[in-house]
């Protein structure tokens, strides 16, 4: 095919790229803002001397500028602005404040990524210039692959152009927290390797090709499903969901195999048997548990077969797509498994899962010792990482280092057709087998373009096909598909039972099994001798989406009126409360009358409980004027968390959790714009009253910005614009310029109150919400506020 098909982009609202821009990226940027805010807060409370205070103050100011820039980018992205920032700030970039209507228009000007001395700046900017010239320089029009890579390269400049944040990884905490929840799978795999070691010590394993083939099959499946843990895609999964993705038992693998749409493991095995002490290259994807499985595979092949005698791991040179492996992630993993009984600087165990047995712990210690030895003698190498690129105790020679190239190739935006034109083919030339892990690598291998159904994997790879012995392991998380029969693709696309199969990493339920994959024999005939692929639809059981609480996820239904997957798995249906007949209202006690009823407010809602799986970790709470501690958050019952999610989804289905700090940065900039150009209704607060001062009349809220009067009571929650409701809204001493008032309408006096607040941001400016319809939404919560 001389001309490539058009790339995937967000111009089609039904595409996953559109979902990415509207929902996934705002969540990722919000998490980044929260991470920097927490780092700033820790700096503020730990500085001790006047010397360090000055350094800390400067770092905090730089952190604030990063938060401001990130908040602005989140706003621009949601409104299809240009793919860049206007220059300003102490470290070379940011959004300058708009003071006139003319200034507002400058926000749409396109400016190249600032030169931070890192790789590919000119490459990205040259392409950006071409896209802009063709009207494709905006978030909703640029090719998805370019825009997504551009986003992470741009994020790196926010930190690399500072003085004090150059080495900061804004995704590190998220990566570490996820790996800490993987203890059960880590220990089980370590014990499995010990059992294989014991089998090998008997002297028969290396010559038993049938047994090795079975083990290789299991190892590939382990790496395959381990790839499902992608933090840039699974932005709303709970810890329980992620644990399900990491299931490594044989029964789970067997159950999942029916969801594999293309299985070329036999072809890969036949190729592997032709090798003798060859090199294996693994182009890495996710850190943490997935990289642990990559090490397990590498260990098995080096230690127990004669096919492979060295392994080169290819990471990213900068934080990339949230969870991709960087050299510090490799070191962190080795450190974590060296002494899992304690975290760095803590007496607590590293893994949050139940403590291991002595046998599990011994097995992990044995693996750690062997892997350190392999890194020391060069059996394992992390390409381009000092100290890990051929020997912790010496390193490799210049000739080997030059041949291996560098990490920076993997953070280019282009497809891998370019590999054939890169000197040394990015260090892959001469490899016995190259394993490309994950969805992004698959997108780059195939160009991330709209290939017609039935396009072969080789055709999609173009000139790269046949140049390298490639094994691609991918679970479907993007629209691009190649290497499947035309009839199968068309059936999957048209069948309502398999809708979303190209991208759905969470779906599960009472759907019938997917069409059976082709047999290994037919796949082998289609694959060239040195190009093979394994691919699956992750609407398999490993796709997650289950609840760690009660109830079967296979029987759950999305509440009526709520789009699937909005704000996590909302398990409360928020429904209008029915009017009570006059006869039922008579004779109620004074206590019963204290609750606001539908007669007081026709928009009162009650919640119908479901199974409960929305994660507390998705929300940041504020109380007593400050951000709540983790200990406080643990006291909130799951039913209240579910109520927050479901109520806000009913209020506006395109809301995502954010922090007050991120929201206030956005609102501050927005208020600088001329009237008529402002959007102050993007940010909302979920406000829950736990206590209200006794009053003669019904306690009433007055919202100044929206000119709204709302009757409330203890135990009631309401969605209000964030501009009306900072965390200190009901502290009359601190809130010197209030725009929200709680008062007694009978006495006209203000009332004191204690409240819990959490904040949300609307990702779709065209989505109407209750305030657009002049409604109020009071939610009655009669459960315990604290556990």
């Amino acid at each position: 095919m001389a001309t490539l098909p058009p790339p995937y982009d967000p111009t089609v609202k039904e595409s996953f790229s559109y979902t990415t821009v509207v929902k996934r990226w705002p969540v990722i940027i919000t998490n980044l803002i929260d991470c920097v805010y927490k780092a700033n807060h820790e700096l503020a409370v730990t500085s001790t001397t006047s010397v360090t205070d000055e350094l800390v103050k400067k770092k905090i100011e730089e952190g604030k500028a990063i938060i401001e820039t990130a908040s602005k980018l989140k706003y621009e992205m949601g409104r299809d602005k240009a793919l860049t920032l206007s220059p300003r700030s102490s470290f070379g970039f940011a959004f300058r404040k708009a003071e006139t209507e003319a200034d507002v228009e400058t926000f749409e000007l396109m400016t190249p990524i600032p030169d931070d001395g890192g790789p590919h700046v000119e490459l990205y900017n040259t392409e950006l210039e071409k896209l802009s010239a063709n009207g494709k320089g905006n978030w909703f029009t640029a090719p998805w692959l370019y825009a997504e890579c551009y986003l992470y390269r741009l994020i790196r400049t926010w930190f690399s152009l500072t003085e004090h944040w150059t080495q900061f990884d804004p995704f590190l905490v998220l990566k570490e927290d996820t790996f800490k929840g993987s203890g059960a799978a880590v220990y089980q795999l370590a014990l499995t390797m010990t059992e294989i070691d014991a089998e090998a010590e008997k002297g028969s394993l290396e010559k038993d090709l049938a047994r090795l083939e079975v083990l290789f099959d299991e190892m590939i499946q382990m790496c395959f499903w381990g790839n499902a843990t992608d933090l840039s895609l699974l932005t709303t999964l709970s810890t329980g969901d992620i644990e399900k993705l990491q299931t490594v038992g044989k029964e789970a693998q067997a159950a999942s195999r029916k969801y594999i749409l293309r299985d070329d493991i036999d072809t890969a095995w036949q190729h592997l048997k032709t090798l003798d002490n060859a090199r294996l290259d693994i182009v890495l994807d996710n850190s943490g548990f997935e990289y642990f499985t990559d090490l397990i595979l590498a260990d098995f092949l080096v230690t127990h077969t004669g096919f492979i005698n060295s392994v080169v791991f290819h990471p990213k040179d900068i934080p990339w797509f949230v969870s991709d492996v960087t050299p510090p992630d490799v070191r962190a993993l080795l450190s974590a498994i060296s002494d899992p009984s304690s975290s760095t600087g803590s007496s607590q165990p590293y893994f949050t899962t139940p403590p291991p047995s002595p046998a599990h712990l011994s097995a992990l210690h044995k693996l750690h010792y062997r892997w350190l030895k392999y890194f020391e003698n060069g059996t394992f190498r992390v390409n381009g990482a000092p100290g890990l690129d051929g020997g912790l105790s010496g390193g490799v020679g210049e000739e080997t280092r030059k041949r291996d190239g560098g990490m920076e190739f993997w953070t280019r935006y282009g497809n891998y057709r370019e590999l054939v034109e890169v000197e040394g083919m990015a260090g892959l030339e001469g490899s016995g087998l190259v394993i490309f892990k994950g969805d992004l690598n698959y997108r780059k291998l195939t160009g991330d373009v709209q290939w017609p159904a039935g396009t072969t994997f080789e055709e999609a790879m173009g000139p790269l096909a046949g140049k390298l012995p490639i094994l691609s392991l991918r679970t479907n998380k993007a629209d691009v598909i190649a290497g499947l029969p035309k009839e199968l693709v068309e059936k999957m696309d048209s069948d309502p039972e398999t809708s979303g199969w190209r991208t759905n990493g969470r779906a599960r339920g009472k759907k019938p099994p997917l069409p059976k994959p082709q047999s290994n024999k037919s796949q082998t005939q289609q694959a060239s001798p040195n190009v093979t692929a394994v691919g699956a639809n992750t609407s398999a059981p490993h796709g997650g989406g289950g609840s760690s609480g009660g109830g079967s996820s296979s029987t759950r239904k999305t509440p009526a009126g709520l789009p699937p997957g909005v704000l996590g798995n909302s398990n409360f249906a928020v429904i209008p409360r029915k009017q009570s007949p006059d006869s039922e209202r008579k004779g109620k006690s004074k206590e019963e009358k204290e609750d606001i009823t539908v007669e007081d407010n026709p928009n009162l809602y009650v919640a119908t409980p479901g199974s409960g799986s929305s994660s507390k970790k998705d929300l940041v709470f504020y109380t007593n004027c400050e951000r709540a501690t983790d200990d406080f958050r643990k006291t909130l019952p799951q039913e209240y968390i579910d109520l927050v999610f479901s109520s806000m989804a009913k209020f506006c289905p395109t809301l995502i959790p954010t922090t007050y700090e991120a929201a206030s940065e956005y609102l501050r900039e927005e208020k600088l714009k001329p009237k008529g150009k402002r959007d102050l209704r993007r940010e909302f607060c979920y406000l829950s009253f736990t206590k209200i001062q006794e009053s003669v009349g019904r306690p009433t809220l007055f919202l100044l910005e929206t000119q709204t009067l709302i009757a409330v009571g203890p135990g009631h929650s309401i969605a209000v614009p964030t501009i009306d409701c900072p965390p200190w809204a009901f502290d009359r001493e601190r809130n010197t310029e209030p725009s929200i008032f709680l008062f007694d309408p009978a006495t006209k006096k203000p009332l004191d109150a204690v409240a819990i607040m959490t904040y949300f941001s609307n990702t779709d400016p065209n989505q109407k919400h209750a305030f657009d319809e002049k409604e109020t939404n009071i939610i009655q919560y009669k459960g315990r506020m604290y556990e």
Side-chain angles (χ1 to χ4, degrees):
M1 188 174 294
T3 303
L4 288 178
Y8 285 99
D9 62 43
T11 55
V12 179
K13 287 192 174 184
E14 293 75 25
S15 67
F16 190 59
S17 51
Y18 179 83
T19 301
T20 294
V21 178
V22 171
K23 293 183 178 179
R24 283 180 48 232
W25 288 348
V27 172
I28 291 167
I29 296 173
T30 297
N31 289 338
L32 179 149
I33 292 169
D34 191 46
C35 179
V36 176
Y37 170 83
K38 288 180 177 178
N40 259 4
H41 178 71
E42 290 177 5
L43 286 170
V45 300
T46 57
S47 61
T48 55
T49 68
S50 58
V51 175
T52 58
D53 277 350
E54 288 303 314
L55 296 176
V56 166
K57 286 179 181 177
K58 187 169 183 180
K59 185 171 182 177
I60 288 174
E61 287 304 311
E62 288 182 338
K64 289 180 179 178
I66 292 171
I67 291 172
E68 177 186 350
T69 303
S71 301
K72 205 66 186 178
L73 176 63
K74 182 178 167 184
Y75 166 80
E76 299 292 322
M77 186 180 293
R79 279 138 185 85
D80 193 16
K81 301 294 184 179
L83 296 183
T84 189
L85 309 175
S86 300
R88 188 190 65 83
S89 92
S90 58
F91 47 90
F93 69 95
F95 280 90
R96 67 186 183 87
K97 299 176 181 178
E99 298 175 355
T100 68
E101 186 169 347
D103 284 340
V104 174
E105 302 305 321
T106 65
F107 288 138
E108 298 190 16
L109 293 177
M110 301 189 70
T111 305
I113 293 176
D115 188 358
D116 61 354
H120 311 319
V121 173
E122 184 177 356
L123 180 76
Y124 276 96
N125 289 339
T126 300
E127 182 65 16
L128 180 61
E129 186 176 353
K130 294 177 183 176
L131 291 172
S132 301
N134 292 317
K136 296 284 187 178
N138 290 25
W139 292 109
F140 283 84
T141 57
W144 181 26
L145 180 60
Y146 172 82
E148 195 153 27
C149 293
Y150 171 97
L151 171 64
Y152 288 95
R153 183 60 184 90
L154 178 64
I155 287 174
R156 176 71 331 225
T157 66
W158 299 352
F159 299 92
S160 58
L161 287 172
T162 68
E163 182 179 352
H164 300 286
W165 296 82
T166 55
Q167 302 302 313
F168 187 80
D169 181 351
F171 311 120
L172 177 62
V173 173
L174 185 59
K175 289 186 283 188
E176 287 184 339
D177 285 349
T178 304
F179 187 48
K180 287 178 180 179
S182 307
V186 166
Y187 286 122
Q188 183 57 48
L189 286 174
L191 189 61
T192 298
M193 285 300 294
T194 299
E195 293 169 353
I196 294 174
D197 291 344
E199 186 178 347
E201 288 174 2
K202 298 177 181 179
S204 59
L205 180 60
E206 187 170 337
K207 297 179 181 179
D208 187 348
L209 291 182
R211 174 63 176 149
L212 286 176
E213 182 177 5
V214 171
L215 291 173
F216 175 72
D217 184 285
E218 292 180 356
M219 292 289 174
I220 291 296
Q221 278 213 68
M222 167 200 67
C223 286
F224 182 43
W225 293 114
N227 169 254
T229 311
D230 185 335
L231 299 179
S232 76
L233 290 154
L234 307 179
T235 53
T236 59
L237 284 193
S238 67
T239 301
D241 293 332
I242 291 174
E243 287 175 356
K244 288 183 176 67
L245 292 173
Q246 297 168 346
T247 303
V248 293
K250 293 181 180 179
E251 292 182 3
Q253 288 187 357
S256 301
R257 190 145 205 161
K258 63 184 177 182
Y259 295 101
I260 297 178
L261 296 178
R262 173 160 176 168
D263 187 347
D264 285 354
I265 293 179
D266 283 355
T267 307
W269 173 249
Q270 296 304 321
H271 170 77
L272 195 66
K273 288 194 301 182
T274 67
L275 303 179
D276 182 18
N277 289 322
R279 188 179 90 238
L280 169 69
D281 287 78
I282 303 179
V283 183
L284 300 171
D285 189 24
N286 297 306
S287 62
F289 178 73
E290 184 183 338
Y291 181 55
F292 183 83
T293 65
D294 297 335
L295 286 165
I296 291 283
L297 173 65
D299 186 356
F300 165 73
L301 291 174
V302 167
T303 306
H304 298 300
T305 80
F307 310 139
I308 300 295
N309 69 357
S310 66
V311 180
V312 179
F313 300 100
H314 297 267
K316 309 300 190 298
D317 59 326
I318 61 175
W320 195 250
F321 282 66
V322 181
S323 52
D324 280 25
V325 179
T326 64
D329 295 326
V330 177
R331 298 186 180 94
L333 184 145
L334 293 174
S335 175
I337 66 173
S338 68
D339 185 13
S341 61
S342 64
S343 296
T344 304
S346 169
S347 60
Q348 299 296 318
Y350 179 84
F351 294 111
T352 58
T353 47
S357 68
H360 284 99
L361 196 58
S362 174
L364 190 59
H365 283 152
K366 181 179 179 180
L367 271 189
H368 176 254
Y369 176 78
R370 186 158 70 207
W371 291 352
L372 276 185
K373 183 177 70 175
Y374 283 167
F375 276 112
E376 287 173 355
N377 63 27
T379 301
F380 287 174
R381 297 202 307 277
V382 177
N383 183 24
L388 294 171
D389 61 349
L392 291 170
S393 59
V396 297
E398 184 60 32
E399 182 177 345
T400 301
R401 194 183 305 277
K402 182 178 179 181
R403 183 202 68 203
D404 283 355
M407 297 177 283
E408 59 271 10
F409 176 84
W410 308 109
T411 52
R412 298 161 67 109
Y413 71 86
N415 62 60
Y416 290 156
R417 292 165 176 261
E418 302 166 0
L419 272 175
V420 296
E421 300 174 1
V422 175
E423 183 181 357
M425 299 185 75
L428 302 179
E429 199 169 33
S431 178
L433 178 65
V434 183
I435 299 179
F436 283 89
K437 296 293 300 293
D439 202 66
L440 177 61
N441 278 323
Y442 183 89
R443 289 166 62 191
K444 288 189 171 186
L445 282 169
T446 58
D448 202 42
V449 297
Q450 301 174 41
W451 292 110
T455 301
T456 66
F457 189 49
E458 294 84 350
E459 183 181 0
M461 289 201 303
L464 185 57
K467 298 292 184 181
L468 294 170
I470 288 174
L471 173 65
S472 174
L473 302 181
R474 179 241 189 164
T475 50
N476 293 3
K477 302 168 190 170
D479 294 295
V480 61
I481 293 292
L484 294 180
K486 180 179 179 181
E487 297 76 14
L488 177 61
V489 174
E490 291 176 344
K491 176 178 174 56
M492 298 283 285
D493 282 338
S494 60
D495 190 342
E497 297 291 349
T498 54
S499 63
W501 69 280
R502 292 174 179 252
T503 62
N504 192 345
R506 295 182 52 107
R508 62 182 297 172
K510 290 186 173 180
K511 295 183 179 180
L514 296 170
K516 291 183 178 180
Q518 297 171 276
S519 68
N520 291 338
K521 181 178 180 180
S522 64
Q523 288 292 343
T524 301
Q525 292 171 342
Q526 286 196 9
S528 65
N530 60 354
V531 178
T532 181
V534 177
N537 170 23
T538 51
S539 55
H542 288 272
S547 166
S548 56
S552 169
S553 59
S554 64
T555 60
R556 285 211 318 257
K557 293 182 179 180
T558 304
L562 301 184
V566 170
L567 302 177
N569 278 341
S570 181
N571 291 300
F572 277 72
V574 183
I575 57 176
R577 186 174 178 179
K578 294 181 179 180
Q579 294 271 0
S580 299
D582 290 340
S583 59
E584 292 182 15
R585 296 198 299 267
K586 292 178 181 179
K588 285 189 176 181
S589 67
K590 180 178 179 181
E591 290 183 357
E592 289 177 306
K593 290 181 179 179
E594 294 225 349
D595 283 326
I596 295 177
T597 64
V598 74
E599 293 79 34
D600 299 303
N601 191 325
N603 297 299
L604 174 67
Y605 290 92
V606 293
T608 303
S611 58
S613 71
S614 301
S615 174
K616 296 181 186 182
K617 293 182 179 181
D618 294 333
L619 300 173
V620 177
F621 291 96
Y622 299 76
T623 189
N624 295 325
C625 305
E626 304 292 344
R627 182 187 285 224
T629 64
D630 289 340
D631 288 340
F632 172 86
R633 184 165 56 183
K634 292 175 183 177
T635 68
L636 299 172
Q638 183 63 45
E639 59 179 333
Y640 174 70
I641 305 298
D642 289 340
L643 179 60
V644 174
F645 277 115
S646 61
S647 301
M648 293 305 277
K650 177 68 176 182
F651 176 77
C652 179
T654 53
L655 291 173
I656 59 170
T658 186
T659 64
Y660 176 73
E661 292 74 26
S664 62
E665 284 289 342
Y666 161 77
L667 292 170
R668 181 172 62 84
E669 293 288 342
E670 204 66 12
K671 289 173 73 174
L672 294 172
K673 296 181 181 180
K675 290 184 178 180
K677 295 279 187 177
R678 302 173 182 174
D679 180 6
L680 304 180
R681 301 289 185 84
R682 192 190 79 169
E683 308 294 326
F684 286 94
C685 171
Y686 186 86
L687 171 64
S688 300
F689 288 102
T690 60
K691 295 181 182 179
I692 295 180
Q693 180 182 348
E694 290 186 6
S695 61
V696 177
R698 180 79 66 195
T700 300
L701 271 180
F702 174 61
L703 307 181
L704 181 63
E705 292 286 342
T706 54
Q707 295 290 297
T708 307
L709 280 171
I710 308 167
V712 294
H716 293 153
S717 300
I718 184 171
V720 299
T722 297
I723 197 167
D724 283 319
C725 199
W728 49 88
F730 302 105
D731 184 331
R732 278 179 274 160
E733 291 185 4
R734 182 170 177 181
N735 197 12
T736 55
E737 297 182 2
S739 60
I740 186 170
F741 304 88
L742 181 65
F743 68 100
D744 183 343
T747 63
K748 308 299 184 184
K749 291 183 178 180
L751 297 174
D752 293 324
V754 177
I756 301 173
M757 303 165 190
T758 187
Y759 295 88
F760 289 81
S761 183
N762 185 11
T763 60
D764 184 354
N766 298 317
Q767 175 66 51
K768 289 188 177 295
H769 46 70
F771 271 93
D772 289 327
E773 307 299 331
K774 304 299 182 184
E775 295 178 2
T776 55
N777 291 266
I778 298 180
I779 300 93
Q780 190 168 25
Y781 176 64
K782 292 190 175 183
R784 293 174 298 158
M785 191 65 73
Y786 306 100
E787 289 182 334

